[in-house]
Amino acid sequence: MRLRRERVVDVAIALLDADGLDALTMRKLAARLGVQPGALYWHFAGKQALLDAMADRFLEDFTADWPAGSWDEQFAAASWRLRQVLLSHRDGARVMAGTYVAEPNTVLLGNRAIEILQAAGLPPDRAGWAAFAAFHFVLGHTIEEQAQLELAGRGAWEPKLTVDGIENKLAATAFTADPAERFGYGLQLFLDGIRQQLAR
Amino acid sequence: MRLRRERVVDVAIALLDADGLDALTMRKLAARLGVQPGALYWHFAGKQALLDAMADRFLEDFTADWPAGSWDEQFAAASWRLRQVLLSHRDGARVMAGTYVAEPNTVLLGNRAIEILQAAGLPPDRAGWAAFAAFHFVLGHTIEEQAQLELAGRGAWEPKLTVDGIENKLAATAFTADPAERFGYGLQLFLDGIRQQLAR
DNA sequence: ACCTGAACACCGTTCAAGT
DNA sequence: ACCTGAACACCGTTCAAGT
C-alpha cells in the first residue's frame, strides 16, 4: 500500500488523543502499526517531522470552507475555529506550538489571515506581524486551557490561590472564569487594536 | 551546606545557557554537581519542579525595580523587559512556557500587571484576562524568536519562502523584519486594544 | 521501495541502604 | 538530613541486511 505515510499520521493522532503527547513515542507508535521502530524513519526524518505532519493535518480543510463576512468577522471566526480544532485533539495546542510554519495547510492558513488583514487596509508586513501575534495568542491561550484540562482530569486540582502567603491573582481570574469568555475577551482586545491601527 | 537547592538551580541555568534545553538532563546536571542522579530527587519532586524553579529564578528582582510612568508606559516597559530576560537565557521562553504560574516571583509579576491594568480602569477579571493575553503574546513571540536563533546558530537556515509552490507569506514577513520591531508592533496592538476597552 | 534485527547511546525516576 | 548504589522501565535514532 502506498498510503503508509498518511496512515502513520492517522494512527499517531489516534494515539495522541488516547494517551496524550507525553505518551506518544516512536516505539509505541511503531508497535501499534505492527512494525519495527526503525521503519518509521523511512517515512519521517525524525519525531519532529512526524509532529509537524500531525499539526498540519489538524488544519486540513481549514481554509477550504472559510467564514464569510467583514474582515473582523472572518478573523474572529477563524480564531474561534482554530481554538476549536486544537481543543479537539488532546494536547493539540502543544503539538502545534512545537512546529515551524512550513507545512502546506499551515502556510495556507497564514496566507489567508494576512490577506484578510491586508484587504482591511494593513500594510503587508504589518498584516504578517499582526497575524503572528494573533496566532501566538490563540496558541498560548489554548495550551494553558488544555493544561488545566489535563490537571483536572488527572485528579489533584487545587488552583493554589495563594503562594508564600501572597494572593495569586492571575490564577484567581484565569481558573475561575469560563475559558471561552476569556478567549473572546483577548480576541476582542486584539481586534480593537487592529481597528485602532487602521484608523490612523 | 544548606544552600543546595539554590546551587542546583544555579548550575542548571548555567547548563541551560551552555547547551540548551534539550541537552539539560537530570543526569548531566547531577554529574556537573558531582553527585548521583538520584540525589536531585531529594531537592526536587521531579524535573518539571526544577524547571519551574529555574523559570521563577529568571524573574528574580523583576518586580523590585518596577518602571515608572503612566499605566501603558509601565506595561510596555515590563513587557520589553520580560522579553529581554527570556532572551538572556538560551531557550528561556520555552522553559517559562512549560511552567505553571505558581512560583513566587511569577505570582508577583502577574499581580503587578493586574494591578496596573486595574488602576487604569479595567475591572478585576478583565485585568487578569488581559494580563494573561499579553503574557501569551510575549512568550509566543519570544519562543519563535529564539527558535530562529537556534536554527541560525546551528547552520542550515533557509527560510523556506515557498512550500509546494505556494508562497509562505508568514515566513516572509516574520523572518525578514527586525524581531524587536515586530514585538513592538504586537505590543502596540495590544495596548491600543486596552485603550479602546477603557474608552467604552 | 520498504522493512527487519539489532544495536548504540542515552533518558527520568525509585528506593533500600548508608553516613 | 542528605546522598550512594543499583536498578527499573523505558527512550530516539542508525544502519547493515533482507525482501
Side-chain angles (χ1 to χ4, degrees), chain B residues 4 27 34-36 38-39 42-43:
Chain B
R4 282 239 60 124
R27 302 181 96 104
V35 107
Q36 295 296 317
W42 195 91
H43 299 281

Side-chain angles (χ1 to χ4, degrees), chain B residues 150-172:
Chain B
E150 292 282 310
L151 286 182
R154 219 187 292 131
W157 180 230
E158 2 79 84
K160 294 242 284 181
L161 292 180
T162 84
V163 47
D164 283 9
I166 49 173
E167 191 192 355
N168 189 346
K169 297 188 179 185
L170 221 39

Side-chain angles (χ1 to χ4, degrees), chain B residues 71-88:
Chain B
W71 74 265
D72 46 355
E73 285 170 341
Q74 290 185 48
F75 205 93
S79 302
W80 280 105
R81 191 172 161 203
L82 176 57
R83 169 173 169 269
Q84 202 49 56
V85 162
L86 296 176
L87 284 179
S88 74

Side-chain angles (χ1 to χ4, degrees), chain A residues 4 35-36 39 42-43:
Chain A
R4 283 238 59 122
V35 106
Q36 295 296 317
W42 195 90
H43 299 281

Side-chain angles (χ1 to χ4, degrees), chain A residues 43-126:
Chain A
H43 299 281
F44 296 94
K47 187 176 183 179
Q48 188 54 58
L50 170 65
L51 259 0
D52 291 348
M54 290 167 67
D56 202 59
R57 169 72 63 83
F58 293 165
L59 300 182
E60 210 175 38
D61 306 325
F62 198 102
T63 50
D65 56 310
W66 191 259
S70 60
W71 74 266
D72 46 355
E73 285 170 341
Q74 290 184 48
F75 205 92
S79 301
W80 280 106
R81 192 172 160 204
L82 177 56
R83 167 173 171 268
Q84 201 50 56
V85 163
L86 296 177
L87 284 179
S88 74
H89 295 285
R90 189 161 163 189
D91 295 324
R94 245 167 89 211
V95 170
M96 175 141 293
T99 69
Y100 299 104
V101 274
E103 303 294 297
N105 293 316
T106 319
V107 169
L108 281 174
L109 175 58
N111 285 2
R112 195 61 76 92
I114 289 179
E115 284 154 17
I116 303 282
L117 296 176
Q118 263 189 273
L122 243 39
D125 55 347
R126 310 286 153 137

Side-chain angles (χ1 to χ4, degrees), chain B:
Chain B
M1 19 174 137
R2 46 179 309 291
L3 48 140
R4 282 239 60 124
R5 214 190 125 98
E6 284 203 355
R7 215 186 108 219
V8 173
V9 175
D10 284 345
V11 176
I13 290 179
L15 206 57
L16 175 76
D17 289 340
D19 301 337
L21 180 55
D22 294 339
L24 175 61
T25 68
M26 297 300 263
R27 302 181 96 104
K28 279 188 193 144
L29 176 57
R32 185 162 293 204
L33 284 161
V35 107
Q36 295 296 317
L40 296 172
Y41 292 82
W42 195 91
H43 299 281
F44 296 94
K47 188 176 183 179
Q48 188 54 58
L50 171 65
L51 260 359
D52 290 349
M54 290 168 67
D56 202 59
R57 170 71 63 84
F58 292 165
L59 299 182
E60 210 175 39
D61 305 324
F62 198 102
T63 49
D65 56 311
W66 191 259
S70 60
W71 74 265
D72 46 355
E73 285 170 341
Q74 290 185 48
F75 205 93
S79 302
W80 280 105
R81 191 172 161 203
L82 176 57
R83 169 173 169 269
Q84 202 49 56
V85 162
L86 296 176
L87 284 179
S88 74
H89 295 284
R90 190 162 164 187
D91 295 323
R94 246 166 89 213
V95 170
M96 176 140 293
T99 69
Y100 299 103
V101 275
E103 303 295 296
N105 293 316
T106 319
V107 169
L108 281 174
L109 174 58
N111 286 1
R112 196 60 77 92
I114 290 180
E115 284 154 15
I116 303 282
L117 295 177
Q118 262 189 272
L122 243 40
D125 53 348
R126 311 286 153 136
W129 306 346
F132 244 122
F135 191 59
H136 290 149
F137 165 69
V138 176
L139 275 183
H141 176 94
T142 313
I143 286 176
E144 183 235 304
E145 201 173 330
Q146 289 186 312
Q148 277 182 247
L149 285 173
E150 292 282 310
L151 286 182
R154 219 187 292 131
W157 180 230
E158 2 79 84
K160 294 242 284 181
L161 292 180
T162 84
V163 47
D164 283 9
I166 49 173
E167 191 192 355
N168 189 346
K169 297 188 179 185
L170 221 39
T173 57
F175 300 155
T176 305
D178 175 29
E181 195 180 354
R182 282 165 39 215
F183 182 78
Y185 184 77
L187 189 57
Q188 203 190 339
L189 235 43
F190 182 79
L191 291 173
D192 279 345
I194 295 184
R195 284 190 203 100
Q196 199 65 24
Q197 282 289 320
L198 290 172
R200 286 188 183 149

Side-chain angles (χ1 to χ4, degrees), chain A residues 120-156:
Chain A
L122 243 39
D125 55 347
R126 310 286 153 137
W129 305 348
F132 243 122
F135 192 59
H136 290 150
F137 165 69
V138 176
L139 276 182
H141 176 95
T142 313
I143 285 177
E144 184 235 303
E145 201 174 331
Q146 289 187 312
Q148 276 182 247
L149 285 173
E150 292 284 308
L151 286 182
R154 219 187 293 130

